[in-house]
Amino acid sequence: MKKKIKIIGSGFSALAASCYLAQKGYDVDVYEKNSTIGGRARQLKRDGFTFDIGPTWYWMPDVFERFFGDFNKKPSDYYDLIKLSPAYQVYFGINEFVTIADNLPEIVATFESIEKGSGEKLTTFIKEAQSNYDIAIKDLVYRPGVSPLELVTLETAKKVDQFFGNISKDIRRRFKNKKLVQILEFPVLFLGAKPSDTPTFYNFMNFADFGLGTWHPKNGMYSVILAMEKLAKELGVTINTDSNVEKIIVENGKATAIVINGETLSADVILSGADYHHSETLLDEKYRAYSEKYWESRVFAPSSLLFYVGFDKKIENVEHHSLFFDVDFDVHAKDIYDNPKWPEEPLFYASFPSKTDENSAPVGKEAAIFLIPLAPGLNDTDALREKYFEKIMIRLEQLTQQSLKNNIIFKQSFCVNDFINDYNSYKGNAYGMANTLLQTAFLRPKLKSKKVKSLYFTGQLTVPGPGVPPALISGKLVADLIQKHS
C-alpha cells in the first residue's frame, strides 16, 4: 500500500514537493486554509482587472525549466513567457531615470554613459556573478542544509573570502555613481537583507538580473501556480481548499495525523509548507524544535504594504516594472532592519502588468500594484495605509508628471495584518528569513524536524531561502529527504 503524505499549504514549495512526492509513488494530499491555492502567490480579480497578490517578478527561468524538466515537461507546456524589454526602470527624480535594457551589452552602454569606465567594470562584475550563479544555482542550493560540509567544494574554496565580505562594499569599491550603486544593490533585496549584511557571494543575483533577464508569464505569476496544480493533479495529487489545519498529532515521537475542522486525518508523513513558526505552534510545545526566543533572534526579510489599484486610463512614463528610488535608500533600510518603524520617506516599487498583458485590465485602463517594503511586526492600521498611499501617489504624479488620483476606480490594500491572517506569517513577514551569513544553508531551520519523526518542513523559512525559485528548490529538497528517510 502507498504511504500517505499530508501536505499543509499550497504555495510554490508545497506544490513542488507534492509533484515530486507523487512522482516517487506516494499518496499525496494537499490542504490549503484559503479558498484558493497558491499561498502568497494568489490572484485578485476585480471589475475586469487581474492582479498577482504576491510575487510579480519572474527571474531565474532556468530554475523553472529544471523543475518542469524533472517531469519531462517544459514551462511552455503550461504557460507563455514574455521577456520584458526593457526589464525595468528606476526613477531617481523628475525626468531623472535609468532604464535597464533586456540585454547585457545595452546595460553596459548605459552604465558607461553615466560613469566613465563603469561599463568595463560591470562586464567584469557580471562575469564573476555568473561564475557564482553557476556554483550556487546549479549546485549549492540543491543541497538540503544538513551539514556545513555541503558548502565546502573546490569552487567555494576558491571564493571563501566572498562569504565574509559583503555586497555593498564590493559594489562601492568598483562603482562611485550613487545611481549605479543602488541599481546593483537592488537585486539583493530579494534575499531579504541589507546589502551590507549580505555576503559578496550572493552577487549571483546580479547575473540573474542582467544576465538572464526579467520575464512575465502571460496572465501573471498565478499562471505558474495553475501550471503546478495541473501537473500535481496529472501526477495524482489531491488538493483540498478551505482546509485549515488546527493541529499536528504526535504519538510515540512520530507525527501520525493532522486535525482539520475537528476531523483527524492519519498520515505516514506530514510535510508543512506553511509558515515554519506557525507550523510548530500546531505541535505540543515539547515537540517544537525552535523556541520563541529563537524566532525573536532571527533576521527576518521585510513585510510589505501593497496596493492593488485600477485606473480608468493608461499611465504614461512608466514601464511594467518601475522602481522609485528618489529618496534615501539607506535611511529606509535602517527603518526596516536597524530601528524598525514606519519610514518617513519610503522607496517603493510599482508593477503595471497591463503594459505587457492585455488580460490584466480592460481596454484603455491600467492595472497597478504598489509595494512599500516594511519591517515585520509593525502596527498596521487603515489610517497608516491611507497615509502611505497618499505619499506614494503624490510622488508618482510628480515623478511621472501626470495627474492620476482622480483616475482611480478602486484600490485594495494588503499589509502586516493580512500576512498574519491569510498566511499565519510570523510578524507578518512577506519574504521569510533573510539570507545573511549566519542564516545561510545549514544555519537555517531544518527541512526535517529534529524532535518528531516523519515531520518535515519546506518553504522560505527553511532551505534554501526566500524567493520563488528557491521555493521550487525547497520542495525538491524535502521530497528527496522524505524518500531517503521514510
Side-chain angles (χ1 to χ4, degrees):
M1 202 166 119
K2 285 183 176 181
K3 282 196 174 178
K4 287 190 294 184
I5 297 188
K6 305 292 188 193
I7 298 180
I8 305 170
S10 67
F12 281 108
S13 58
L15 286 177
S18 78
C19 292
Y20 285 112
L21 289 164
Q23 184 189 47
K24 292 173 194 295
Y26 294 95
D27 182 356
V28 183
D29 289 285
V30 172
Y31 298 91
E32 166 59 52
K33 79 184 277 280
N34 292 306
S35 58
T36 57
I37 65 161
R40 284 165 165 78
R42 292 181 299 154
Q43 192 179 59
L44 168 65
K45 290 194 170 199
R46 181 168 167 181
D47 299 351
F49 292 82
T50 302
F51 306 89
D52 282 314
I53 291 177
T56 54
W57 291 78
Y58 191 104
W59 271 6
M60 304 186 188
D62 52 321
V63 175
F64 295 86
E65 284 161 18
R66 185 164 170 177
F67 168 74
F68 285 104
D70 285 341
F71 304 93
N72 296 314
K73 303 282 187 181
K74 302 186 294 293
S76 59
D77 292 332
Y78 297 97
Y79 55 89
D80 296 325
L81 270 184
I82 304 157
K83 191 173 191 188
L84 296 184
S85 180
Y88 55 90
Q89 196 153 272
V90 189
Y91 294 79
F92 295 97
I94 296 169
N95 287 327
E96 196 183 348
F97 56 84
V98 176
T99 303
I100 301 300
D102 68 345
N103 64 87
L104 189 54
E106 278 188 61
I107 299 169
V108 166
T110 298
F111 270 54
E112 185 63 30
S113 71
I114 293 169
E115 180 184 311
K116 195 164 172 51
S118 68
E120 194 178 326
K121 287 176 185 172
L122 180 64
T123 303
T124 304
F125 178 69
I126 295 299
K127 261 187 198 155
E128 291 170 17
Q130 181 172 4
S131 165
N132 288 353
Y133 188 91
D134 288 343
I135 294 166
I137 303 303
K138 293 177 184 173
D139 182 17
L140 288 187
V141 294
Y142 286 91
R143 299 180 181 206
V146 172
S147 159
L149 296 177
E150 291 172 6
L151 294 177
V152 182
T153 68
L154 280 174
E155 288 80 9
T156 56
K158 294 174 197 166
K159 295 174 181 275
V160 68
D161 57 316
Q162 292 194 19
F163 286 92
F164 296 97
N166 71 67
I167 279 183
S168 184
K169 265 190 189 163
D170 186 45
I171 289 170
R172 288 159 197 262
R173 178 172 59 80
R174 303 169 194 247
F175 303 92
K176 301 304 170 207
N177 183 278
K178 196 174 175 185
K179 291 176 194 167
L180 300 186
V181 167
Q182 284 189 283
I183 289 167
L184 288 169
E185 286 184 341
F186 148 68
V188 175
L189 299 180
F190 284 102
L191 300 170
K194 284 196 302 186
S196 57
D197 289 335
T198 303
T200 308
F201 182 76
Y202 282 105
N203 66 16
F204 63 72
M205 291 296 291
N206 294 102
F207 175 70
D209 180 0
F210 290 175
L212 297 175
T214 302
W215 302 74
H216 174 75
K218 195 164 185 208
N219 299 322
M221 288 293 283
Y222 200 64
S223 295
V224 187
I225 289 290
L226 294 176
M228 295 175 75
E229 177 190 35
K230 189 170 183 217
L231 174 61
K233 286 180 175 177
E234 287 167 357
L235 292 161
V237 176
T238 302
I239 298 174
N240 308 275
T241 53
D242 297 306
S243 300
N244 185 35
V245 176
E246 296 154 357
K247 189 167 179 61
I248 298 171
I249 292 174
V250 178
E251 293 172 357
N252 301 319
K254 181 179 185 291
T256 58
I258 53 176
V259 179
I260 297 176
N261 302 326
E263 185 185 356
T264 301
L265 304 171
S266 64
D268 296 297
V269 175
I270 293 164
L271 166 61
S272 182
D275 177 273
Y276 203 125
H277 169 268
H278 168 73
S279 301
E280 285 220 313
T281 67
L282 301 175
L283 295 162
D284 291 339
E285 197 166 338
K286 63 181 176 181
Y287 296 124
R288 297 172 195 170
Y290 301 99
S291 65
E292 287 299 318
K293 192 175 173 187
Y294 169 85
W295 293 112
E296 280 288 336
S297 70
R298 298 301 89 188
V299 179
F300 273 81
S303 185
S304 300
L305 169 56
L306 290 136
F307 296 100
Y308 311 98
V309 188
F311 288 91
D312 67 7
K313 69 172 185 180
K314 300 304 283 183
I315 297 177
E316 297 170 5
N317 307 325
V318 293
E319 296 295 344
H320 182 129
H321 292 304
S322 300
L323 301 165
F324 294 87
F325 285 6
D326 53 308
V327 298
D328 196 310
F329 183 101
D330 295 328
V331 171
H332 188 168
K334 280 175 186 164
D335 291 341
I336 296 172
Y337 297 103
D338 301 342
N339 179 28
K341 62 178 183 180
W342 282 84
E344 279 303 311
E345 295 298 335
L347 285 80
F348 68 98
Y349 153 68
S351 171
F352 303 95
S354 41
K355 291 283 173 198
T356 304
D357 199 329
E358 71 275 9
N359 296 333
S360 296
V363 175
K365 298 178 181 175
E366 203 85 87
I369 301 164
F370 299 98
L371 182 153
I372 300 173
L374 296 173
L378 293 183
N379 183 37
D380 169 18
T381 66
D382 288 344
L384 279 166
R385 295 186 189 197
E386 203 54 44
K387 174 184 171 182
Y388 279 83
F389 184 72
E390 189 66 20
K391 275 179 186 277
I392 63 174
M393 286 309 299
I394 288 168
R395 280 174 38 211
L396 179 69
E397 288 185 328
Q398 288 173 343
L399 292 164
T400 63
Q401 298 188 291
Q402 64 199 302
S403 169
L404 293 170
K405 267 190 261 184
N406 294 333
N407 299 99
I408 294 171
I409 302 168
F410 66 83
K411 75 171 188 292
Q412 275 186 225
S413 62
F414 199 96
C415 196
V416 172
N417 292 346
D418 302 298
F419 281 103
I420 293 168
N421 293 334
D422 288 9
Y423 311 130
N424 295 308
S425 166
Y426 181 73
K427 290 189 175 180
N429 80 80
Y431 306 104
M433 197 185 284
N435 260 337
T436 60
L437 179 62
L438 296 177
Q439 293 183 172
T440 293
F442 68 97
L443 296 171
R444 297 179 73 79
K446 301 299 182 194
L447 292 164
K448 185 175 186 293
S449 172
K450 295 189 283 186
K451 288 195 173 181
V452 180
K453 288 177 188 167
S454 301
L455 176 61
Y456 296 82
F457 303 88
T458 187
Q460 57 188 13
L461 291 185
T462 180
V463 181
V468 176
L472 296 180
I473 295 165
S474 187
K476 179 181 174 68
L477 294 176
V478 78
D480 289 344
L481 265 190
I482 289 169
Q483 186 179 35
K484 187 176 172 184
H485 292 284
S486 66

